[in-house]
Amino acid sequence: MPPQRRVVGPGFHARVWSLVERVPEGTVVTYGQIATALGSPRVARQVGYAMAAALNSPVPIPWHRVINASGGISHRGDFERAQRQRELLEREGVEFSPAGTVDLARYRYVFPPVFPEDPVDPDALLARARSVDPRHALNRRKPRGTR
């Protein structure tokens, strides 16, 4: 049996962002969908961390298209960002219920199956980031032994 690949590790944010870039305008995905597409539905929280970091990416990432499994926006205390996310989604034609949720049956994007001959390239976004700004944090390596 081949060794199991760790889902969260170097390049994780880039893999998340690579998937989010594939989500078409006017549709949404959940944190759990991204985690599952990457190989582990248990890392949805880490997907959220990657989406928070996307705000500082040198490459535009459509971060606003990722919502929670209830169809709501996860504001985590940042109500301005949540309002901005809602405005961006509404601009793309996504409608919200009076309760502030999106109808996932209507707006959810379903990723096509990824076959071994078409894997998610974890280095593609990193390469693009390096070409945009060679001093960006994605290009700095942490010294060994640090977290």
Side-chain angles (χ1 to χ4, degrees), residues 17 19-24 51 54 59-66 85 89 92:
W17 298 345
L19 280 175
V20 174
E21 284 183 312
R22 298 176 187 193
V23 179
M51 296 316 306
V59 179
I61 306 295
W63 60 271
H64 59 283
R65 296 183 188 146
V66 183
Q85 184 174 10
L89 288 170
E92 292 182 356

Side-chain angles (χ1 to χ4, degrees), residues 37 48 59 70 73 76 89-90 94-95 114 116 125 131 133 135:
V59 179
S70 300
I73 292 174
R76 305 229 356 141
L89 288 170
E90 288 177 333
V94 175
E95 297 174 353
V114 178
L125 189 66
S131 69
D133 182 1
R135 297 167 300 167

Side-chain angles (χ1 to χ4, degrees), residues 1 16-17 20 32 43 45-49 51 56 61 75 79-80 84 95 103 138:
M1 174 182 257
V16 169
W17 298 345
V20 174
V43 298
R45 184 175 302 249
Q46 284 77 10
V47 170
Y49 298 146
M51 296 316 306
N56 300 318
I61 306 295
H75 56 78
F79 295 101
E80 287 180 29
R84 175 82 175 129
E95 297 174 353
D103 180 0
L138 289 175

Side-chain angles (χ1 to χ4, degrees), residues 3-68:
Q4 188 173 2
R5 183 178 66 91
R6 274 184 57 91
V7 173
V8 179
F12 178 74
H13 286 186
R15 289 192 304 275
V16 169
W17 298 345
S18 176
L19 280 175
V20 174
E21 284 183 312
R22 298 176 187 193
V23 179
E25 186 175 308
T27 62
V28 296
V29 293
T30 67
Y31 298 101
Q33 274 183 269
I34 299 284
T36 300
L38 290 172
S40 177
R42 297 178 142 192
V43 298
R45 184 175 302 249
Q46 284 77 10
V47 170
Y49 298 146
M51 296 316 306
L55 297 172
N56 300 318
S57 170
V59 179
I61 306 295
W63 60 271
H64 59 283
R65 296 183 188 146
V66 183
I67 61 176
N68 66 36

